[in-house]
Amino acid sequence: MRHATDPDHVIAVTTIVTSERSLARAARIGALWGLGHSLTILLVGGAIIVFKLAFSLRLGLSMELTVAVMLILLGVLNLMNVNARPVPVSPARPVLIGVVHGLAGSAGAAILIVPLIDDPRFAALYLVVFGLGTIAGMSLVTLAIALPALAAGAPTARVQ
């Protein structure tokens, strides 16, 4: 839950969920977002385990910059669609956003822990548990964001 409430995650999911009109679809978006995030963690963490890779500070900062650029792009896209009618979100969008988010923040810190675990089986188990927790946490945070937006939008839709 701590990881799912990082400010960059909340901002990214808010730009997607605000156009949803269903809690079930919002939860699905959160799960897809967490899935994309977990895929990156599993791939990068798996490479660290198998190939004994290490990440430099420069690479870590580059990954953070990638996430920052994506957040700016999401903000611009959201502003451009202010007056547009809500359209269903393609499942690829939250997965892609999750994949990029898996490159930085707390996920990056989680990946830094992997080389410290001596047994590759426990390192892989750590990544799987972190990934499953990420999917669950992001689904719950997405629901928490969507619920007030849906409640506020319901009377407006009836009035219109």
Side-chain angles (χ1 to χ4, degrees):
M1 289 303 293
R2 158 63 185 89
H3 180 64
T5 57
D6 282 347
D8 60 326
H9 291 162
V10 173
I11 291 167
V13 80
T14 301
T15 63
I16 298 172
V17 171
T18 52
S19 65
E20 287 303 319
R21 300 291 176 239
S22 157
L23 280 179
R25 284 195 306 258
R28 180 173 164 254
I29 287 171
L32 290 170
W33 177 41
L35 176 67
H37 201 288
S38 298
L39 288 173
T40 301
I41 292 170
L42 289 172
L43 288 173
V44 174
I48 290 170
I49 294 168
V50 173
F51 301 113
K52 307 282 189 223
L53 298 176
F55 286 98
S56 67
L57 178 60
R58 174 173 273 170
L59 179 61
L61 291 173
S62 298
M63 293 187 314
E64 292 280 355
L65 180 62
T66 302
V67 173
V69 169
M70 182 192 63
L71 289 174
I72 292 168
L73 179 62
L74 285 172
V76 168
L77 290 173
N78 207 35
L79 287 173
M80 290 171 47
N81 289 325
V82 166
N83 293 323
R85 297 193 96 178
V87 294
V89 173
S90 161
R93 185 174 177 190
V95 171
L96 180 62
I97 291 170
V99 165
V100 174
H101 262 115
L103 297 174
S106 302
I111 290 172
L112 291 175
I113 293 171
V114 172
L116 304 175
I117 303 172
D118 292 330
D119 189 331
R121 295 172 297 178
F122 288 125
L125 179 63
Y126 168 80
L127 290 173
V128 169
V129 170
F130 188 89
L132 292 173
T134 298
I135 293 168
M138 291 183 180
S139 294
L140 291 172
V141 167
T142 303
L143 281 173
I145 291 169
L147 187 60
L150 287 171
T156 306
R158 283 193 297 267
V159 169
Q160 290 175 350

